[in-house]
Amino acid sequence: MTQEHQGGSRGWSAARKGVWSRLRLTSLRLRLVVVFGLVALTAAVSASGIAYWLNRESVLTRTQDAVLRDFEKEMQNRAGALPVHPTQDELQRTAGQMANSSQRFTVLLVAENPEGQTVYGSSGGLNGFSLGDVPESLRETVTERQKITSGNKYPHHLYWQRIVEDDTPYLVAGTKLIGGGTTGYMLKSLEPEAKDLNSLAWSLGIATGLALIGSALLAHAAATTVLKPVQRLGTAARRLGEGKLDTRLRVSGTDELADLSRTFNKAAEALEKRVADMAARDDASRRFVADMSHELRTPLTAITAVTEVLEEELEFEGGGIDPMIQPAVRLVVSETRRLNDLVENLMEVTRFDAGTARLVLDDVDVADQITACIDARAWLDAVELDAARGIHARIDPRRLDVILANLIGNALKHGGSPVRVSVREEPGGVAEGAEAAGEGAEAADASGGTVVIQVRDHGPGIPEDVLPHVFDRFYKASASRPRSEGSGLGLSIALENAHIHGGEIIAANSPEGGAVFTLRLPRDVSAAESGEKSGDAGNEGAEGDA
């Protein structure tokens, strides 16, 4: 796969993740769009519903009133001119005349002829408007004679009703002449008005949809306006968390977001100043420890020489030291050695803290190196070695000796004899140690394998609450424990030496009893270092692409 293709894939993946992050259900942008949409939809539907209802009533009422007035006028003028008992021809002719009015409705006239028979006259012909098309309830109301009272001066009135047939709305009305005689019914189609109302409904629906789309766009614009400063603030916070303390936000405006940006800038400035002050104090403290250690070495050299002479006098049978002061002399010799070790350890710690510690690599046989460490300190009788010759590693022999001396010495001092030291090889990289030390997988694989050294004692083990702190500097499991001969820096220095090799030390308790310290080192530290550099370069390139 080419770099261009990889870059395109990363770009497409980043774009997809960006879109998904903007559209996820917990996204503030999506919530703003939904809220704006719901508000706009509610407002638009409410306004459209009210407008439709008002226009519907206005259109139907206006048409209905005009038709009823015209029908009532025609009944008074034309039907009122008919005799009490008209013939069918007279009814038919009058119905046709009434239908020719300005409103163009269909008319049905009902009366009794001189022979007492019921006759009909319809403007729509024999197959037109008939009495069966009139609702029965309307017919009964029209023909029923109302009681005349002070509030009702006429026995008959004009009544109307809206009906729907074949999805077409109609207005049906009827009345009877006051003096008796002819009863008239009218049928008016409201289809034109219904079409107008449907057009109005479609228009209001389209307006509602446009309002919803507009609200979504407005919400998106508002969300962008609100979220851009928030996103910039999140990016700045991440950069600040990565240690880029000079990160600041560009502030514009006087709103709450601008106040938030100003507050962030003030907090970042205060944090940068605080960290700078702490770093300055830390550097001053390191310089003080380093300077103090160097200054102590000169008088310690002279004191050490004197104590060596005193120690020789103690060992010489005919020495001139008074037996009464021999314990004091032995104490001076012991404390001078302890002070010398403490100064050396402090100088080593300052080199690690300052980042000036360097490796001097050499090809060594691990078993020979462990044997030399044990032999140099006269631990052969107290240590069991399980290490086959032929396990070679490219490491710093002096620093490995420091690690082993601290681990074995700690086991002999605080654990129980015998102390067992075992060595084995593992393929691949420093699986656990490199990860714990923050090394990359590529660096581990480049090391060509791992050397694992275990130091186990047969003592009571390490308390569980002490395990996380065994490598801390000057840590004491109990403040009331007797003063130790050690400096309290040995295990910390051992861990730093393992880290500088790209390895790790893990402290644990064995199921069979006793404490177990496991040292993991890459077999070829130089290969591991080159792998780390190439991995870092690749990571920088990836960051540049992003």
Side-chain angles (χ1 to χ4, degrees):
M1 182 180 292
T2 63
Q3 292 183 351
E4 291 80 7
H5 187 269
Q6 291 177 346
S9 300
R10 286 195 296 268
W12 180 83
S13 178
R16 183 181 62 180
K17 290 181 180 178
V19 172
W20 174 246
S21 65
R22 290 194 293 270
L23 296 180
R24 63 182 186 272
L25 295 180
T26 57
S27 170
L28 181 59
R29 183 187 303 272
L30 181 59
R31 282 184 282 175
L32 284 174
V33 172
V34 170
V35 170
F36 269 70
L38 290 176
V39 171
L41 183 63
T42 302
V45 169
S46 300
S48 299
I50 294 173
Y52 179 79
W53 182 79
L54 292 175
N55 281 276
R56 179 178 181 276
E57 291 301 316
S58 175
V59 170
L60 293 179
T61 301
R62 184 171 61 251
T63 302
Q64 176 179 290
D65 291 344
V67 172
L68 294 178
R69 283 197 303 269
D70 196 16
F71 175 65
E72 187 176 19
K73 180 179 179 182
E74 292 294 328
M75 284 293 296
Q76 292 175 356
N77 294 336
R78 297 188 182 276
L82 291 172
V84 179
H85 300 287
T87 63
Q88 185 173 2
D89 292 339
E90 291 174 335
L91 288 177
Q92 190 72 31
R93 183 173 57 255
T94 302
Q97 293 173 352
M98 293 174 63
N100 289 329
S101 66
S102 59
Q103 295 299 323
R104 297 294 179 180
F105 42 72
T106 305
V107 178
L108 172 64
L109 298 178
V110 182
E112 291 184 356
N113 60 10
E115 289 78 15
Q117 297 175 342
T118 301
V119 292
Y120 304 92
S122 176
S123 63
L126 296 177
N127 297 324
F129 183 34
S130 64
L131 197 60
D133 298 327
V134 181
E136 183 177 357
S137 58
L138 180 62
R139 294 200 305 266
E140 293 175 354
T141 304
V142 169
T143 57
E144 182 180 1
R145 183 180 180 86
Q146 304 293 326
K147 185 177 180 180
I148 298 176
T149 61
S150 59
N152 183 29
K153 300 180 179 179
Y154 304 104
H156 298 285
H157 295 277
L158 176 65
Y159 299 96
W160 58 272
Q161 184 177 346
R162 293 175 189 166
I163 62 174
V164 178
E165 291 185 3
D166 299 330
D167 296 330
T168 302
Y170 292 94
L171 175 65
V172 181
T175 186
K176 189 171 184 179
L177 294 178
I178 297 175
T182 306
T183 300
Y185 297 97
M186 178 273 300
L187 180 68
K188 172 66 175 178
S189 174
L190 298 178
E191 186 175 5
E193 288 74 14
K195 290 182 178 180
D196 293 341
L197 292 175
N198 288 336
S199 299
L200 176 63
W202 274 104
S203 299
L204 293 176
I206 293 174
T208 300
L210 293 177
L212 186 60
I213 295 174
S215 68
L217 295 176
L218 182 62
H220 181 73
T224 301
T225 303
V226 174
L227 293 180
K228 274 189 175 180
V230 176
Q231 291 173 349
R232 287 197 294 267
L233 180 61
T235 302
R238 284 192 295 272
R239 289 172 57 86
L240 198 65
E242 293 170 355
K244 301 175 181 177
L245 301 180
D246 58 343
T247 301
R248 298 293 184 272
L249 290 173
R250 181 173 55 86
V251 181
S252 60
T254 58
D255 56 4
E256 290 80 358
L257 292 174
D259 292 339
L260 180 61
S261 300
R262 294 189 186 93
T263 303
F264 175 85
N265 288 341
K266 291 179 181 178
E269 183 178 357
L271 180 62
E272 184 180 18
K273 184 176 183 300
R274 185 67 177 270
V275 171
D277 293 341
M278 293 178 63
R281 287 196 295 268
D282 189 45
D283 291 341
S285 176
R286 291 176 181 175
R287 284 196 300 271
F288 171 77
V289 173
D291 294 342
M292 181 189 67
S293 302
H294 281 287
E295 291 297 328
L296 286 175
R297 293 190 71 179
T298 301
L300 270 177
T301 302
I303 295 173
T304 301
V306 173
T307 56
E308 288 176 353
V309 173
L310 292 175
E311 189 175 15
E312 291 178 358
E313 288 292 330
L314 287 174
E315 294 176 354
F316 183 60
E317 295 181 357
I321 297 178
D322 190 341
M324 297 296 293
I325 65 172
Q326 284 185 7
V329 173
R330 295 184 188 278
L331 179 62
V332 170
V333 172
S334 174
E335 291 302 310
T336 301
R337 287 176 178 173
R338 183 171 178 270
L339 182 60
N340 193 44
D341 291 339
L342 177 60
V343 170
E344 292 296 331
N345 287 338
L346 285 175
M347 294 185 66
E348 187 73 5
V349 167
T350 57
R351 282 192 287 269
F352 282 122
D353 290 343
T356 58
R358 295 292 181 267
L359 295 175
V360 179
L361 301 179
D362 192 9
D363 292 323
V364 299
D365 188 300
V366 177
D368 290 345
Q369 188 70 24
I370 298 175
T371 302
C373 174
I374 297 173
D375 185 50
R377 292 160 180 84
W379 290 339
L380 289 175
D381 296 335
V383 178
E384 296 179 356
L385 179 60
D386 180 14
R389 294 178 58 86
I391 301 178
H392 292 271
R394 183 169 179 75
I395 53 180
D396 188 327
R398 184 186 69 83
R399 296 190 181 276
L400 177 59
D401 183 77
V402 172
I403 297 173
L404 294 172
N406 279 291
L407 294 182
I408 299 174
N410 183 77
L412 291 172
K413 187 181 301 181
H414 301 289
S417 296
V419 172
R420 183 178 180 83
V421 181
S422 60
V423 181
R424 71 176 187 271
E425 293 180 278
E426 287 185 355
V430 185
E432 298 178 4
E435 290 178 1
E439 310 297 344
E442 295 85 359
D445 291 337
S447 64
T450 305
V451 176
V452 180
I453 303 174
Q454 281 191 336
V455 179
R456 177 191 169 191
D457 60 51
H458 289 78
I462 306 173
E464 293 298 328
D465 58 331
V466 177
L467 271 176
H469 306 286
V470 294
F471 296 105
D472 293 350
R473 297 175 182 176
F474 302 107
Y475 177 77
K476 292 184 179 182
S478 174
S480 62
R481 75 180 185 181
R483 184 174 64 89
S484 172
E485 295 181 0
S487 64
L489 295 172
L491 290 180
S492 174
I493 292 174
L495 182 63
E496 293 291 347
N497 278 302
H499 284 172
I500 200 173
H501 280 87
E504 180 60 282
I505 303 176
I506 299 174
N509 288 315
S510 174
E512 292 81 11
V516 179
F517 285 84
T518 303
L519 168 65
R520 295 176 180 270
L521 295 176
R523 293 190 60 181
D524 190 350
V525 177
S526 58
E529 289 179 346
S530 62
E532 291 170 17
K533 293 178 181 179
S534 62
D536 293 340
N539 292 334
E540 293 175 359
E543 291 175 359
D545 292 339

